[in-house]
Amino acid sequence: MAQFEKFSDQQLLEELRRRVKCAEKQTKLNSILVGPPGSGKGTAAPKLKADYCLCHLSTGDMLRAAVAAGTEMGKKAKAVMDAGGLVSDDIVVGIIKDNISSPACSKGFILDGFPRTLAQAEKLDAILAAKGEKVHTVVDMQCDDEALVERITGRRIHKPSGRSYHIKFAPPKVEGKDDITGEALIQRKDDNEKTLRPRLQAFHDQTKPVLEYYKTKGIVSNVNAMQDMKLVYADICKAYGAKV
């Protein structure tokens, strides 16, 4: 019970209500958030997860978790990473498949950072089709590259939950501390301009064909991620609302 002591009675009650609501939810929503680093995916995803009873699947987090858990795919990924190689599509897709089949994803999922390539998108569709499912909506979070530099360098993360803050645009209530747990926030080591620009170019090169692929299915919604985050979230909810 010690793990609950850091939360107030009100927070615990709200979480209980959320879980009851999720247990009663009948619809399922499979979604993908597409956007460059700093576009706000990390800020929106935890709230979408709570509001729509979804699981949030971030490729990097899933790889690290699979390695730590020693799963079959995690062992394969660790062997490749230890050798200094790039994790193959087959391994990444295998980890995705394991996760979307978990009880936590029974009401649907938010994919963040996957699929990055057309081949991955096609494999994801094949996995879902085998379960009688599909991707319902793809949200394209559009953001000006130059504006991302300020966003990225000021970003702070609560690593255990994935909650994201910004020292200027979305500061925590207490500087350097997570609003919910009071735990320390971190700055990712690659959140700087030097590493950002190559990442942005790679993002555009890789994801353009992915977006074109989903546009042919009529499931892409464009969201102006340059707006205030409350407006961004409202627009994502509009895209979700048509599917639930």
Side-chain angles (χ1 to χ4, degrees):
M1 299 295 290
Q3 67 268 32
F4 297 115
E5 292 179 357
K6 66 178 69 174
F7 302 105
S8 68
D9 289 346
Q10 182 63 33
Q11 289 170 333
L12 291 172
L13 183 58
E14 288 175 358
E15 176 61 16
L16 178 59
R17 288 171 177 162
R18 187 191 71 82
R19 294 195 179 200
V20 170
K21 179 193 74 171
C22 291
E24 295 174 345
K25 183 185 175 191
Q26 299 298 315
T27 55
K28 186 167 187 175
L29 175 65
N30 296 330
S31 63
I32 300 172
L33 292 185
V34 178
S39 60
K41 300 191 305 297
T43 301
K47 185 166 173 55
L48 290 167
K49 173 183 176 180
D51 288 349
Y52 290 89
C53 307
L54 308 175
C55 64
H56 174 212
L57 303 177
S58 169
T59 308
D61 291 343
M62 283 187 291
L63 279 170
R64 287 186 286 272
V67 170
T71 66
E72 179 182 353
M73 287 297 172
K75 290 176 182 177
K76 291 181 179 179
K78 185 176 187 302
V80 173
M81 291 187 290
D82 286 349
L86 294 175
V87 179
S88 70
D89 272 4
D90 286 343
I91 293 175
V92 174
V93 171
I95 290 174
I96 293 288
K97 184 178 180 180
D98 289 345
N99 278 269
I100 64 177
S101 300
S102 69
C105 297
S106 63
K107 305 298 183 180
F109 57 74
I110 307 162
L111 280 175
D112 173 2
F114 182 93
R116 291 183 183 273
T117 66
L118 180 57
Q120 289 181 350
E122 292 172 338
K123 289 179 179 179
L124 173 62
D125 276 359
I127 291 170
L128 292 173
K131 293 157 54 73
E133 299 182 22
K134 63 180 180 179
V135 174
H136 297 106
T137 188
V138 177
V139 177
D140 181 13
M141 299 181 66
Q142 301 175 337
C143 197
D144 178 70
D145 284 1
E146 296 305 316
L148 290 174
V149 175
E150 185 176 22
R151 283 192 177 187
I152 289 287
T153 55
R155 185 167 61 183
R156 300 295 184 268
I157 305 295
H158 179 242
K159 191 173 181 180
S161 69
R163 282 185 288 273
S164 181
Y165 301 86
H166 191 281
I167 58 175
K168 179 179 179 181
F169 303 121
K173 295 174 183 176
V174 177
E175 183 178 354
K177 302 292 184 181
D178 176 54
D179 286 351
I180 305 299
T181 65
E183 295 170 343
L185 303 177
I186 64 167
Q187 181 178 26
R188 292 173 179 153
K189 63 180 180 180
D190 57 351
D191 278 358
N192 61 78
E193 185 173 359
K194 183 178 180 180
T195 59
L196 175 59
R197 295 196 182 276
R199 289 170 64 200
L200 288 173
Q201 189 58 53
F203 166 80
H204 293 305
D205 292 344
Q206 289 179 336
T207 57
K208 184 177 180 179
V210 174
L211 286 170
E212 291 300 321
Y213 171 74
Y214 286 119
K215 282 177 182 178
T216 64
K217 299 177 180 291
I219 60 173
V220 175
S221 295
N222 298 329
V223 169
N224 176 9
M226 297 292 294
Q227 309 174 89
D228 180 85
M229 197 60 214
K230 290 181 179 179
L231 297 176
V232 172
Y233 189 77
D235 283 349
I236 297 175
C237 290
K238 289 178 185 177
Y240 274 26
K243 308 295 180 180
V244 296

